[in-house]
Amino acid sequence: MTAGRAARPRHYLMCRPSHFTVDYSINPWMDPAKPTDTGLAVAQWKQLHALFLELGHTVELLDPLPGLPDMVFAANGATVVDGRALVARFRHPQRTGEAAAYLDWFRAHGYPVVRQASFSNEGEGDYLVVGERILAGTGFRTDRRAHAEAAEVLGRPVVTLELVDPRYYHLDTALAVLSETEIMYYPAAFSAASRTVLRQLYPDAVLAGAEDAVVFGLNAVSDGRHVVLPEAAVRLADTLRGRGFVPIGVDVTELLKAGGSVKCCTLELRD
Ligand code: ARG
């Protein structure tokens, strides 16, 4: 049944959570009063990293920096399309220091275009590439004006989607790309107008329910065949199986204390 879906090997950038903690709150999931376990975060992250390698993907590593506990969420660092790296401009001062590390990394690795966004732009947290099109989130982090800039720099049409639920503050917490033409999403995270746009563009999308969204089931990474997602998103995994995908559940619950999961840890390098 699953023979039809082909995986395409990917190139990812990740950052080990060596300095992970929750000592500020910039989204509703973060509670600095709740204890975190950096060792556990590292162990969970290592399993995710090992899984990507097992699946045949190539993973580059960015050096984690002390004092930047959210740096594990590499997806937020940039959006990379055709070797063009549009580096983030973080909305919150607690994370602005991360951008320099991405600028340095892309320059050191010879990317032909490396540019920092002029407006608030949280990279693949809010920009998801689906085939030739880029879906872009706004409402909490990435500025609407950054969408036009992304279209200009990355050379692909950008579709603006408005997020309305503060728990789903980045596009990648409410929507995931499954293949060049397929997505899954949680409709309640979007404004009525954006839900209409999504229905028109993707009439056959997988729709997730609240119970899968709340465990960050939409924060998933697909290679076209395998869909790596939080193991608690069991209904979503069943639906994906029914569509011919191979869902693989992982435990990254320690990172969820900061409001991030599988996709947040994974920046795709489209060289
Ligand atoms: N604590 C981080 C923040 O609020 C979590 C980022 C999660 N990343 C993501 N791609 N959704 O910025």
Side-chain angles (χ1 to χ4, degrees), residues 55-69:
L55 292 174
H57 305 311
T58 306
V59 183
E60 309 292 338
L61 296 176
L62 179 69
D63 287 334
L65 297 170
L68 295 171

Side-chain angles (χ1 to χ4, degrees), residues 59-82:
V59 183
E60 309 292 338
L61 296 176
L62 179 69
D63 287 334
L65 297 170
L68 295 171
D70 272 336
M71 210 169 160
V72 59
F73 302 117
N76 302 139
T79 309
V80 188
V81 173
D82 299 330

Side-chain angles (χ1 to χ4, degrees), residues 26-27 30 70 73 75-76 95 125 141 169-170 172-173 258-260 264:
I26 55 172
N27 71 54
M30 301 176 86
D70 272 336
F73 302 117
N76 302 139
R95 297 195 68 185
R141 299 290 180 88
Y169 56 91
H170 273 145
D172 73 353
T173 65
C264 300

